[in-house]
Amino acid sequence: MHFFQRSFATAASLIVPMQPPSKMETHIWYIVPDEVKSKHLQKHYLNLLSPNEKESVMKIQEEELQKRALLARALVRSTISRYATQFQIDPQALKFKKNMFGKPELDFQNSSQLCLPPLQFNISHSSSLIACGVTMHSPIGIDVEAKTRKIKNNIIAFAKRFFSPNEIEFLSAISDPESQRQEFIKLWTLKEAYVKALGRGFSATPFNTFTIQFNKTARGSCLPGCKTSEEAYEISVESCDDLENCSRSMTFALMELSGSHYAAVCMEKDTSFRGSLPMKLNVWRTIPYVEDECVSGTEAALPINGFAQANVKSSKT
């Protein structure tokens, strides 16, 4: 699906309606803040927000931070409004709440008149990209990190503060500093998506209580554009030390977005299926009310099938 609407319009009906994600499917919508130039458009986005959201945004003094906060909230509201099942709804009418750990979620109890499907969503943003993931029924976590992210401290010393022993061993075996930095960012992105999918956050589920691994499998995440000849990997959670606050019944996907970011998605597995169904992903780049472009199967949304194997120190003496 490709849709382009380059002239700004304020009618809510011009938000392109979408069918909700199917079982084990995730929809990802992302926006690049630098592409949103129009002050008039940003003013329209502000009008989509609740009074409390407006107040929170306007309290931010730094202009770029304020813009990113505005775009994140507008992206969530415009994205969720696409999936109304019976009629188009005003994004401003959506109600949200937070769980006991602070994760935002739809407030279905106070939005019953909108006839929303049982959607789950999660939002993540860096300074240069904002992404919203949407599923049906299944809790979701998403994280995006710039590939150029700089690590101020020594990577291994930093990893020892947050990562599991197996992950530290993996990173320590990589001799090339740039490869080591990239693999660190991938791991961080996956771990962040996992704790967000659990709905507990970093403080309730510390990163060093579980291990992220890539395991060879016949099935991987199903992103349009994957080459079937490529070796597939399933990302899993292993060595979980905190069984009360961790879960192994999660499935992951890892990709490059827009050529500049790593994006990780985590959602619950379908327990009604005997075995492991792959996660299906569909990705759109958007400027709400201006342009939507499906980028699944393009270089703007490239699947990553495993950790890098190059430049790893030999274990032989």
Side-chain angles (χ1 to χ4, degrees), residues 112 151 222:
S112 57
I151 313 299
C222 185

PDB file of all heavy atoms in Angstrom, residues 112 151 222:
ATOM      1  N   SER A 112     -15.319   3.792  25.486  1.00  0.00           N
ATOM      2  CA  SER A 112     -16.199   2.758  24.951  1.00  0.00           C
ATOM      3  C   SER A 112     -17.061   3.265  23.800  1.00  0.00           C
ATOM      4  O   SER A 112     -17.395   2.507  22.882  1.00  0.00           O
ATOM      5  CB  SER A 112     -17.088   2.191  26.058  1.00  0.00           C
ATOM      6  OG  SER A 112     -17.847   3.230  26.663  1.00  0.00           O
ATOM      7  N   ILE A 151      28.826   5.958  22.782  1.00  0.00           N
ATOM      8  CA  ILE A 151      28.909   5.447  24.140  1.00  0.00           C
ATOM      9  C   ILE A 151      30.080   6.163  24.816  1.00  0.00           C
ATOM     10  O   ILE A 151      31.239   5.989  24.414  1.00  0.00           O
ATOM     11  CB  ILE A 151      29.129   3.920  24.167  1.00  0.00           C
ATOM     12  CG1 ILE A 151      28.158   3.214  23.204  1.00  0.00           C
ATOM     13  CG2 ILE A 151      28.987   3.389  25.593  1.00  0.00           C
ATOM     14  CD1 ILE A 151      26.702   3.419  23.527  1.00  0.00           C
ATOM     15  N   CYS A 222       8.837 -12.042   9.967  1.00  0.00           N
ATOM     16  CA  CYS A 222       8.431 -12.004   8.567  1.00  0.00           C
ATOM     17  C   CYS A 222       8.238 -10.558   8.118  1.00  0.00           C
ATOM     18  O   CYS A 222       7.153 -10.002   8.244  1.00  0.00           O
ATOM     19  CB  CYS A 222       7.138 -12.790   8.376  1.00  0.00           C
ATOM     20  SG  CYS A 222       6.640 -12.921   6.637  1.00  0.00           S
TER      21      CYS A 222
END
